[in-house]
Amino acid sequence: MPSPAEREATQTAYAASVNPAWLDVLRQCGLDARPLEAEGCWLRLEDGRRWLDFVAGYGAAVLGHRPQALLAGLAEDLFDPAPNLHPLGFSGLAGDLAAELLALAGFIDGKVLFASTGAEAVEGALKLARMAGGRRRALSFDGGFHGLTLEATSLAGSDFWRQGLPRREDCAVLPWGDLAAAAAELARGDVAAVLLEPVQGSAGARAWRGEALSELAELCRRHGARLIYDEALSGLGRCGAWFAYQALGAPAPDVLIAAKGLSGGVLPVSALLFREDIYQAVFARPGCAKIHGSTFGGNRLALSCGLRMLSLLRQLDAPARARERGEALRRRWREAGLEGFELEGVGLMLALRAGPAAQDRLGEGAAGLLWLQLLQEGVLTAPAAHDAAALRLLPPLNVAETELDFFQEACRRAIAALEQEATTS
């Protein structure tokens, strides 16, 4: 364990060269101790604390921290004599991984481009939709989050992310679920793409209805716009199907983004799946075969990581495991009778939301108080950036029953402590 002097030296270097404002926030919350060890669902900090991690790299560590089967395979890949980057060649790994993703998504035809992050894939999706349709406008919805690149920020479902930035005329954010507003915008005939998360992460696991997505898909088809599902977080098993739209009973989109679960929290890798007509309109034109890509997109190690992750997720039967564990956690919550906070979501994309009773007793900051108290009880969750009344829960898909028990008991103690404090204050 580092000495106090070593810890102070580390924080001083971070403050001097990285982000002192963020370090101040962490200090105020008592979160400025570095994790020294991670294994499965657990983190051990340099100050001796141990947390059950229900953030899991914002959902990227779908098999927990340091998944041994994945790491062992990637260790072998490191010594493969083939180059990691070969921009003028083609990759058999790319073909294998693309075929598997298209099959899981139920795309009868289509192509796949590989990138490094969800935000990079979002940018690519919007670019291809504009190029294919010859239009420029893009729509999204309140509560959505698509990364922090410039265009993704313009389509974020909260003004917080756009501070200091000019509002782009070619990007519009609509009220969540408002199909009438979407129909009016699409009827203008200049919309290239409609971008949304079937289950919104930063809004606290808020899910679209399958029927609403079906209606929106028909509106897009009628008016010549491409429908893009951002499943960087909700895809690859987390919501009880390989992709969230399948769990919701919605039709497949024109463009689909996969990211976090494909990496296992180990290597940056994302994928952009799109229909054959988009490929023909963009890449199949003379001289345009390489009109979009990136230096590290589809590098050998990333593709191998994705293939190994899909194999491990199939072995786990990730969609079934997410359904079963999510239902088990919700059942525990109902049986515990914990008042004031509701457990909501789809599969293992979940949120604890403070209801009116909790906010009456504890104030509007009830969710924030619960977040801090859960840290004291050894559980790491994440406040929902777009819903101050919610905490995000993103446990690994292989979370154990005993870990669900630990979480449930920690919540019971945390809520009891908050109730006791409210009573005595």
Coordinates of all heavy atoms in Angstrom, one line a residue, residues 159-244:
D159 N -28.3 20.3 -22.2 CA -27.5 21.5 -22.6 C -26.2 21.6 -21.8 O -25.3 22.4 -22.2 CB -28.3 22.8 -22.3 CG -29.4 23.0 -23.3 OD1 -29.3 22.5 -24.4 OD2 -30.4 23.7 -23.0
F160 N -26.0 20.8 -20.7 CA -24.8 20.9 -19.9 C -23.6 20.7 -20.8 O -22.6 21.4 -20.7 CB -24.9 19.8 -18.8 CG -23.6 19.7 -18.1 CD1 -23.3 20.5 -17.0 CD2 -22.7 18.7 -18.4 CE1 -22.0 20.4 -16.4 CE2 -21.4 18.6 -17.8 CZ -21.2 19.4 -16.7
W161 N -23.7 19.7 -21.8 CA -22.5 19.3 -22.6 C -22.2 20.4 -23.6 O -21.1 20.3 -24.2 CB -22.8 18.0 -23.2 CG -23.2 16.9 -22.2 CD1 -24.4 16.4 -22.1 CD2 -22.4 16.3 -21.2 NE1 -24.5 15.5 -21.1 CE2 -23.2 15.4 -20.5 CE3 -21.1 16.4 -20.8 CZ2 -22.8 14.7 -19.4 CZ3 -20.6 15.7 -19.8 CH2 -21.5 14.8 -19.1
R162 N -23.1 21.3 -23.9 CA -22.9 22.3 -24.9 C -22.4 23.7 -24.4 O -22.4 24.6 -25.2 CB -24.2 22.4 -25.8 CG -24.5 21.3 -26.6 CD -25.7 21.5 -27.5 NE -26.9 21.4 -26.7 CZ -27.6 20.3 -26.5 NH1 -27.1 19.1 -26.9 NH2 -28.7 20.2 -25.8
Q163 N -22.0 23.7 -23.2 CA -21.6 25.0 -22.6 C -20.4 25.6 -23.4 O -19.5 24.9 -23.7 CB -21.2 24.8 -21.2 CG -22.3 24.4 -20.2 CD -21.9 24.2 -18.8 OE1 -21.5 25.2 -18.2 NE2 -21.9 23.0 -18.4
G164 N -20.6 26.8 -23.8 CA -19.5 27.5 -24.6 C -19.5 27.2 -26.0 O -18.6 27.7 -26.7
L165 N -20.4 26.4 -26.5 CA -20.4 26.0 -27.9 C -21.5 26.6 -28.7 O -22.6 26.7 -28.1 CB -20.5 24.4 -28.0 CG -19.3 23.6 -27.5 CD1 -19.7 22.1 -27.5 CD2 -18.0 23.9 -28.2
P166 N -21.3 27.0 -29.9 CA -22.4 27.5 -30.7 C -23.4 26.4 -31.0 O -23.0 25.3 -31.2 CB -21.7 28.1 -32.0 CG -20.5 27.3 -32.1 CD -20.1 27.0 -30.7
R167 N -24.7 26.8 -31.1 CA -25.7 25.8 -31.4 C -25.7 25.5 -32.9 O -25.7 26.5 -33.7 CB -27.1 26.3 -31.0 CG -28.2 25.2 -31.4 CD -29.5 25.6 -30.7 NE -29.4 25.5 -29.3 CZ -29.6 24.4 -28.6 NH1 -29.8 23.2 -29.3 NH2 -29.5 24.3 -27.3
R168 N -25.6 24.3 -33.3 CA -25.5 23.9 -34.7 C -26.9 23.9 -35.3 O -27.8 23.2 -34.8 CB -24.8 22.6 -34.9 CG -23.4 22.6 -34.6 CD -22.7 21.3 -34.8 NE -23.0 20.7 -36.1 CZ -22.2 19.8 -36.6 NH1 -21.1 19.3 -36.0 NH2 -22.5 19.3 -37.8
E169 N -27.1 24.5 -36.5 CA -28.4 24.6 -37.1 C -28.8 23.2 -37.7 O -30.0 23.0 -38.0 CB -28.4 25.6 -38.2 CG -28.3 27.1 -37.6 CD -28.4 28.1 -38.7 OE1 -28.5 27.7 -39.9 OE2 -28.3 29.3 -38.3
D170 N -27.8 22.4 -38.0 CA -28.1 21.1 -38.6 C -28.3 20.0 -37.6 O -28.5 18.8 -37.9 CB -27.0 20.7 -39.6 CG -25.7 20.5 -38.9 OD1 -25.5 20.8 -37.7 OD2 -24.7 20.1 -39.6
C171 N -28.4 20.3 -36.3 CA -28.7 19.3 -35.2 C -29.8 19.8 -34.4 O -29.8 21.0 -33.9 CB -27.4 19.1 -34.3 SG -26.0 18.3 -35.2
A172 N -30.8 18.9 -34.1 CA -31.9 19.3 -33.3 C -32.2 18.2 -32.3 O -32.1 17.0 -32.6 CB -33.2 19.5 -34.1
V173 N -32.5 18.6 -31.0 CA -32.8 17.6 -29.9 C -34.2 17.8 -29.6 O -34.7 18.9 -29.2 CB -31.9 17.9 -28.7 CG1 -32.2 16.9 -27.6 CG2 -30.4 17.9 -29.1
L174 N -35.0 16.7 -29.7 CA -36.4 16.7 -29.5 C -36.8 16.2 -28.2 O -36.0 15.4 -27.5 CB -37.1 15.8 -30.6 CG -36.7 16.1 -32.1 CD1 -37.5 15.2 -33.0 CD2 -37.0 17.6 -32.4
P175 N -38.0 16.5 -27.7 CA -38.5 15.9 -26.4 C -38.5 14.3 -26.5 O -38.9 13.8 -27.6 CB -39.9 16.4 -26.2 CG -39.9 17.7 -27.0 CD -39.0 17.4 -28.2
W176 N -38.0 13.7 -25.5 CA -37.9 12.2 -25.5 C -39.3 11.6 -25.8 O -40.3 12.0 -25.2 CB -37.4 11.7 -24.2 CG -37.2 10.2 -24.2 CD1 -36.2 9.5 -24.8 CD2 -38.1 9.3 -23.5 NE1 -36.4 8.1 -24.5 CE2 -37.6 8.0 -23.8 CE3 -39.3 9.4 -22.8 CZ2 -38.2 6.8 -23.3 CZ3 -39.9 8.2 -22.3 CH2 -39.3 7.0 -22.6
G177 N -39.3 10.7 -26.7 CA -40.5 10.0 -27.1 C -41.6 10.7 -27.8 O -42.7 10.2 -28.1
D178 N -41.3 12.0 -28.2 CA -42.3 12.8 -28.9 C -42.3 12.5 -30.4 O -41.6 13.1 -31.2 CB -42.0 14.3 -28.7 CG -43.1 15.2 -29.1 OD1 -43.9 14.8 -29.9 OD2 -43.2 16.3 -28.6
L179 N -43.2 11.6 -30.8 CA -43.2 11.2 -32.2 C -43.9 12.3 -33.1 O -43.5 12.4 -34.3 CB -44.0 9.9 -32.3 CG -43.3 8.6 -31.7 CD1 -44.2 7.4 -31.9 CD2 -41.9 8.4 -32.2
A180 N -44.7 13.1 -32.5 CA -45.3 14.1 -33.3 C -44.3 15.2 -33.7 O -44.2 15.6 -34.8 CB -46.5 14.8 -32.5
A181 N -43.4 15.5 -32.7 CA -42.3 16.4 -33.0 C -41.4 15.8 -34.1 O -40.9 16.5 -35.0 CB -41.5 16.8 -31.8
A182 N -41.1 14.5 -34.0 CA -40.2 13.9 -34.9 C -40.9 13.9 -36.3 O -40.2 14.1 -37.3 CB -39.9 12.4 -34.5
A183 N -42.2 13.6 -36.4 CA -42.9 13.6 -37.7 C -42.8 14.9 -38.3 O -42.6 15.0 -39.5 CB -44.3 13.1 -37.4
A184 N -43.0 16.0 -37.5 CA -43.0 17.3 -38.1 C -41.6 17.7 -38.7 O -41.5 18.3 -39.7 CB -43.4 18.4 -37.0
E185 N -40.5 17.3 -37.9 CA -39.2 17.6 -38.4 C -38.9 16.7 -39.7 O -38.3 17.2 -40.7 CB -38.2 17.3 -37.3 CG -38.2 18.2 -36.1 CD -37.7 19.6 -36.4 OE1 -37.0 19.7 -37.5 OE2 -38.0 20.5 -35.7
L186 N -39.3 15.5 -39.7 CA -39.0 14.6 -40.8 C -39.7 15.1 -42.1 O -39.2 14.9 -43.2 CB -39.3 13.2 -40.5 CG -38.4 12.5 -39.5 CD1 -39.0 11.2 -38.9 CD2 -37.1 12.1 -40.2
A187 N -40.9 15.6 -41.9 CA -41.7 16.0 -43.0 C -41.1 17.2 -43.8 O -41.5 17.5 -44.9 CB -43.1 16.5 -42.5
R188 N -40.1 17.9 -43.2 CA -39.4 18.9 -43.9 C -38.6 18.4 -45.0 O -38.2 19.2 -45.9 CB -38.5 19.7 -42.9 CG -39.3 20.5 -41.9 CD -38.4 21.1 -40.8 NE -37.3 21.9 -41.4 CZ -36.4 22.6 -40.6 NH1 -36.5 22.5 -39.3 NH2 -35.5 23.3 -41.2
G189 N -38.2 17.1 -45.0 CA -37.6 16.5 -46.1 C -36.1 16.7 -46.2 O -35.4 16.4 -47.2
D190 N -35.5 17.3 -45.1 CA -34.0 17.5 -45.1 C -33.3 16.8 -44.0 O -32.1 17.1 -43.7 CB -33.8 19.0 -45.0 CG -34.3 19.6 -43.7 OD1 -35.0 18.9 -42.9 OD2 -34.0 20.8 -43.4
V191 N -33.9 15.8 -43.4 CA -33.3 15.1 -42.2 C -32.6 13.9 -42.8 O -33.1 13.0 -43.5 CB -34.4 14.6 -41.2 CG1 -33.7 13.8 -40.1 CG2 -35.0 15.9 -40.5
A192 N -31.3 13.8 -42.5 CA -30.5 12.7 -42.9 C -30.6 11.5 -41.9 O -30.6 10.4 -42.3 CB -29.0 13.1 -43.0
A193 N -30.6 11.8 -40.6 CA -30.5 10.8 -39.6 C -31.3 11.1 -38.4 O -31.4 12.3 -37.9 CB -29.1 10.5 -39.3
V194 N -31.8 10.1 -37.7 CA -32.4 10.2 -36.4 C -31.6 9.2 -35.5 O -31.5 8.0 -35.8 CB -33.9 9.8 -36.4 CG1 -34.5 9.8 -35.0 CG2 -34.7 10.7 -37.3
L195 N -31.0 9.8 -34.5 CA -30.1 9.1 -33.6 C -30.7 8.9 -32.2 O -31.2 9.9 -31.7 CB -28.8 9.9 -33.5 CG -27.7 9.4 -32.5 CD1 -27.2 8.1 -32.9 CD2 -26.6 10.5 -32.4
L196 N -30.7 7.7 -31.7 CA -31.2 7.5 -30.4 C -30.7 6.3 -29.7 O -30.1 5.4 -30.4 CB -32.8 7.4 -30.4 CG -33.4 6.2 -31.2 CD1 -33.6 5.0 -30.3 CD2 -34.8 6.6 -31.8
E197 N -30.8 6.2 -28.4 CA -30.5 5.0 -27.6 C -31.8 4.3 -27.3 O -32.7 4.9 -26.7 CB -29.8 5.4 -26.3 CG -28.5 6.1 -26.4 CD -28.1 6.7 -25.0 OE1 -28.6 7.8 -24.7 OE2 -27.3 6.1 -24.3
P198 N -32.0 3.1 -27.7 CA -33.2 2.4 -27.3 C -33.5 2.3 -25.8 O -34.6 2.4 -25.4 CB -33.0 1.0 -27.9 CG -32.1 1.2 -29.0 CD -31.1 2.2 -28.6
V199 N -32.4 2.2 -25.0 CA -32.5 2.4 -23.6 C -31.4 3.4 -23.2 O -30.2 3.2 -23.5 CB -32.2 1.1 -22.8 CG1 -32.3 1.3 -21.3 CG2 -33.1 0.0 -23.3
Q200 N -31.9 4.5 -22.7 CA -31.0 5.7 -22.4 C -30.2 5.4 -21.1 O -30.8 5.2 -20.1 CB -31.7 7.0 -22.3 CG -32.3 7.4 -23.6 CD -33.0 8.8 -23.4 OE1 -33.6 9.1 -22.4 NE2 -33.0 9.6 -24.5
G201 N -28.9 5.5 -21.2 CA -28.0 5.3 -20.0 C -28.0 6.5 -19.1 O -28.3 6.3 -17.9
S202 N -27.6 7.6 -19.6 CA -27.5 8.8 -18.7 C -28.8 9.3 -18.2 O -28.8 10.2 -17.3 CB -26.7 9.9 -19.5 OG -25.4 9.5 -19.8
A203 N -29.9 8.9 -18.7 CA -31.2 9.3 -18.2 C -31.7 8.2 -17.2 O -32.9 8.3 -16.8 CB -32.2 9.4 -19.3
G204 N -30.9 7.3 -16.8 CA -31.3 6.3 -15.8 C -32.0 5.2 -16.3 O -33.1 4.8 -15.8
A205 N -31.5 4.5 -17.4 CA -32.1 3.3 -17.9 C -33.5 3.5 -18.4 O -34.4 2.6 -18.2 CB -32.0 2.1 -16.9
R206 N -33.8 4.6 -19.0 CA -35.1 4.9 -19.6 C -35.3 4.3 -20.9 O -34.5 4.6 -21.9 CB -35.3 6.4 -19.6 CG -36.7 6.9 -20.1 CD -36.9 8.3 -19.8 NE -36.0 9.2 -20.7 CZ -36.1 10.5 -20.7 NH1 -37.1 11.1 -20.0 NH2 -35.3 11.2 -21.5
A207 N -36.3 3.4 -21.1 CA -36.4 2.6 -22.3 C -37.6 3.1 -23.2 O -38.6 3.5 -22.7 CB -36.7 1.2 -21.9
W208 N -37.3 3.1 -24.5 CA -38.4 3.4 -25.4 C -39.3 2.2 -25.4 O -38.9 1.0 -25.1 CB -37.8 3.5 -26.8 CG -37.2 4.9 -27.1 CD1 -36.0 5.3 -26.7 CD2 -37.8 5.9 -27.9 NE1 -35.7 6.6 -27.2 CE2 -36.8 7.0 -27.9 CE3 -38.9 6.1 -28.6 CZ2 -37.1 8.2 -28.6 CZ3 -39.2 7.2 -29.3 CH2 -38.3 8.3 -29.3
R209 N -40.6 2.4 -25.8 CA -41.5 1.3 -26.1 C -41.2 0.8 -27.5 O -40.9 1.5 -28.4 CB -42.9 1.8 -26.0 CG -43.4 2.2 -24.6 CD -44.9 2.6 -24.7 NE -45.1 3.7 -25.5 CZ -45.7 3.7 -26.7 NH1 -46.1 2.5 -27.2 NH2 -45.8 4.8 -27.4
G210 N -41.3 -0.5 -27.7 CA -41.1 -1.1 -29.0 C -42.0 -0.6 -30.0 O -41.6 -0.3 -31.2
E211 N -43.3 -0.3 -29.6 CA -44.3 0.2 -30.6 C -43.9 1.6 -31.1 O -44.0 1.9 -32.2 CB -45.6 0.2 -29.9 CG -46.2 -1.1 -29.6 CD -45.7 -1.6 -28.2 OE1 -44.8 -0.9 -27.6 OE2 -46.2 -2.6 -27.7
A212 N -43.3 2.4 -30.2 CA -42.9 3.7 -30.5 C -41.8 3.7 -31.5 O -41.7 4.5 -32.5 CB -42.6 4.6 -29.3
L213 N -40.8 2.8 -31.3 CA -39.7 2.7 -32.2 C -40.2 2.2 -33.6 O -39.6 2.6 -34.6 CB -38.6 1.8 -31.6 CG -37.8 2.3 -30.4 CD1 -36.8 1.3 -29.9 CD2 -37.1 3.6 -30.8
S214 N -41.1 1.3 -33.6 CA -41.7 0.8 -34.8 C -42.3 2.0 -35.6 O -42.1 2.1 -36.8 CB -42.7 -0.3 -34.6 OG -42.2 -1.4 -34.0
E215 N -43.0 2.8 -34.9 CA -43.6 4.0 -35.6 C -42.6 5.0 -36.1 O -42.7 5.5 -37.2 CB -44.6 4.7 -34.6 CG -45.4 5.8 -35.2 CD -46.4 6.5 -34.3 OE1 -46.7 5.8 -33.3 OE2 -46.8 7.6 -34.6
L216 N -41.5 5.2 -35.3 CA -40.5 6.1 -35.7 C -39.7 5.5 -36.9 O -39.4 6.2 -37.8 CB -39.5 6.3 -34.5 CG -38.3 7.2 -34.8 CD1 -38.8 8.6 -35.2 CD2 -37.4 7.3 -33.6
A217 N -39.5 4.2 -36.9 CA -38.8 3.6 -38.1 C -39.6 3.8 -39.3 O -39.1 4.0 -40.4 CB -38.6 2.1 -37.8
E218 N -41.0 3.7 -39.2 CA -41.8 3.9 -40.4 C -41.8 5.3 -40.9 O -41.7 5.6 -42.1 CB -43.2 3.5 -40.1 CG -44.3 3.8 -41.1 CD -44.0 3.2 -42.5 OE1 -43.3 2.2 -42.6 OE2 -44.4 3.8 -43.5
L219 N -41.7 6.3 -39.9 CA -41.6 7.7 -40.3 C -40.3 8.0 -41.0 O -40.3 8.7 -42.0 CB -41.7 8.6 -39.0 CG -43.1 8.7 -38.4 CD1 -42.9 9.4 -37.0 CD2 -44.0 9.6 -39.3
C220 N -39.2 7.4 -40.5 CA -37.9 7.6 -41.2 C -38.0 7.0 -42.6 O -37.5 7.6 -43.5 CB -36.8 6.9 -40.3 SG -36.4 7.8 -38.8
R221 N -38.5 5.8 -42.7 CA -38.6 5.2 -44.0 C -39.4 6.0 -45.0 O -39.0 6.3 -46.2 CB -39.2 3.8 -43.9 CG -39.2 3.0 -45.2 CD -40.2 1.9 -45.2 NE -41.5 2.4 -45.1 CZ -42.2 2.9 -46.1 NH1 -41.7 3.0 -47.3 NH2 -43.5 3.3 -45.9
R222 N -40.5 6.5 -44.5 CA -41.4 7.3 -45.4 C -40.8 8.6 -45.8 O -41.0 9.1 -47.0 CB -42.7 7.7 -44.6 CG -43.8 8.3 -45.4 CD -45.0 8.7 -44.5 NE -45.4 7.6 -43.6 CZ -46.0 7.8 -42.5 NH1 -46.3 9.0 -42.1 NH2 -46.3 6.8 -41.7
H223 N -40.0 9.2 -45.0 CA -39.4 10.5 -45.3 C -37.9 10.4 -45.7 O -37.3 11.5 -45.9 CB -39.5 11.5 -44.1 CG -41.0 11.8 -43.8 ND1 -41.7 12.6 -44.6 CD2 -41.8 11.4 -42.8 CE1 -43.0 12.7 -44.1 NE2 -43.0 12.0 -43.0
G224 N -37.4 9.2 -45.9 CA -36.1 9.1 -46.5 C -34.9 9.4 -45.5 O -33.8 9.7 -46.0
A225 N -35.1 9.3 -44.2 CA -34.1 9.5 -43.2 C -33.6 8.1 -42.7 O -34.3 7.1 -42.7 CB -34.6 10.3 -42.0
R226 N -32.3 8.1 -42.3 CA -31.8 6.8 -41.7 C -31.9 6.8 -40.2 O -31.7 7.8 -39.5 CB -30.3 6.7 -42.0 CG -30.0 5.9 -43.3 CD -30.5 6.4 -44.6 NE -30.2 5.6 -45.7 CZ -30.1 6.0 -46.9 NH1 -30.2 7.3 -47.2 NH2 -29.8 5.2 -47.9
L227 N -32.4 5.7 -39.7 CA -32.6 5.5 -38.2 C -31.3 4.9 -37.7 O -30.9 3.8 -38.1 CB -33.8 4.7 -37.9 CG -34.1 4.4 -36.5 CD1 -34.3 5.7 -35.7 CD2 -35.3 3.5 -36.4
I228 N -30.7 5.5 -36.7 CA -29.5 5.1 -36.1 C -29.7 4.7 -34.6 O -30.2 5.6 -33.8 CB -28.3 6.1 -36.1 CG1 -28.1 6.6 -37.6 CG2 -27.1 5.6 -35.5 CD1 -27.2 7.8 -37.7
Y229 N -29.4 3.5 -34.2 CA -29.5 3.1 -32.8 C -28.1 3.1 -32.2 O -27.2 2.4 -32.7 CB -30.0 1.7 -32.6 CG -31.5 1.6 -32.9 CD1 -32.1 0.3 -33.1 CD2 -32.4 2.6 -33.0 CE1 -33.4 0.1 -33.4 CE2 -33.7 2.5 -33.3 CZ -34.2 1.2 -33.5 OH -35.6 1.0 -33.7
D230 N -27.9 3.9 -31.2 CA -26.6 4.0 -30.5 C -26.7 3.0 -29.4 O -27.3 3.2 -28.3 CB -26.4 5.4 -29.9 CG -25.1 5.5 -29.2 OD1 -24.4 4.5 -28.9 OD2 -24.7 6.6 -28.7
E231 N -26.1 1.8 -29.6 CA -26.1 0.7 -28.6 C -24.7 0.5 -28.0 O -24.4 -0.6 -27.7 CB -26.8 -0.5 -29.1 CG -28.2 -0.4 -29.5 CD -29.1 -1.5 -29.0 OE1 -28.7 -2.2 -28.0 OE2 -30.1 -1.8 -29.7
A232 N -24.0 1.6 -27.9 CA -22.6 1.5 -27.4 C -22.7 0.8 -26.0 O -21.8 0.0 -25.6 CB -22.0 2.8 -27.3
L233 N -23.7 1.2 -25.2 CA -23.8 0.6 -23.9 C -24.8 -0.5 -23.8 O -24.6 -1.5 -23.2 CB -24.3 1.7 -22.9 CG -24.6 1.3 -21.5 CD1 -23.5 0.6 -20.8 CD2 -25.0 2.5 -20.6
S234 N -26.0 -0.4 -24.5 CA -27.1 -1.3 -24.3 C -26.9 -2.6 -25.1 O -27.6 -3.6 -24.8 CB -28.4 -0.6 -24.7 OG -28.4 -0.2 -26.0
G235 N -25.9 -2.6 -26.0 CA -25.8 -3.8 -26.9 C -25.0 -4.9 -26.3 O -24.4 -4.8 -25.2
L236 N -25.0 -6.0 -27.0 CA -24.2 -7.2 -26.7 C -24.5 -7.9 -25.4 O -23.7 -8.3 -24.6 CB -22.7 -6.9 -26.8 CG -22.2 -6.4 -28.2 CD1 -20.8 -6.0 -28.1 CD2 -22.5 -7.5 -29.2
G237 N -25.9 -8.0 -25.2 CA -26.4 -8.8 -24.1 C -26.9 -8.1 -22.9 O -27.7 -8.7 -22.1
R238 N -26.5 -6.9 -22.7 CA -26.8 -6.2 -21.4 C -28.3 -6.1 -21.2 O -28.7 -6.2 -20.0 CB -26.1 -4.8 -21.3 CG -26.4 -4.1 -20.0 CD -25.5 -3.0 -19.8 NE -24.2 -3.4 -19.4 CZ -23.8 -3.9 -18.2 NH1 -24.6 -4.0 -17.3 NH2 -22.5 -4.2 -18.1
C239 N -29.1 -5.9 -22.2 CA -30.5 -5.7 -22.0 C -31.4 -7.0 -22.1 O -32.6 -6.9 -22.2 CB -31.0 -4.6 -22.9 SG -30.4 -3.0 -22.4
G240 N -30.7 -8.1 -22.1 CA -31.5 -9.4 -22.2 C -31.7 -9.9 -23.6 O -32.4 -10.9 -23.8
A241 N -31.1 -9.3 -24.6 CA -31.0 -9.8 -25.9 C -29.7 -9.3 -26.5 O -29.0 -8.5 -25.8 CB -32.2 -9.2 -26.8
W242 N -29.3 -9.7 -27.6 CA -28.0 -9.3 -28.1 C -28.0 -7.8 -28.3 O -26.9 -7.1 -28.1 CB -27.6 -10.0 -29.4 CG -27.1 -11.4 -29.1 CD1 -27.8 -12.6 -29.4 CD2 -26.0 -11.8 -28.4 NE1 -27.1 -13.7 -28.9 CE2 -25.9 -13.2 -28.3 CE3 -24.9 -11.1 -27.8 CZ2 -24.9 -13.9 -27.7 CZ3 -23.9 -11.8 -27.2 CH2 -23.9 -13.2 -27.1
F243 N -29.1 -7.2 -28.7 CA -29.2 -5.8 -28.8 C -30.5 -5.3 -28.1 O -31.5 -6.1 -28.1 CB -29.1 -5.3 -30.2 CG -27.7 -5.5 -30.8 CD1 -27.4 -6.6 -31.5 CD2 -26.7 -4.5 -30.5 CE1 -26.1 -6.8 -32.0 CE2 -25.4 -4.7 -31.0 CZ -25.1 -5.8 -31.8
A244 N -30.5 -4.1 -27.5 CA -31.7 -3.7 -26.8 C -32.9 -3.6 -27.6 O -34.0 -3.9 -27.1 CB -31.4 -2.3 -26.1

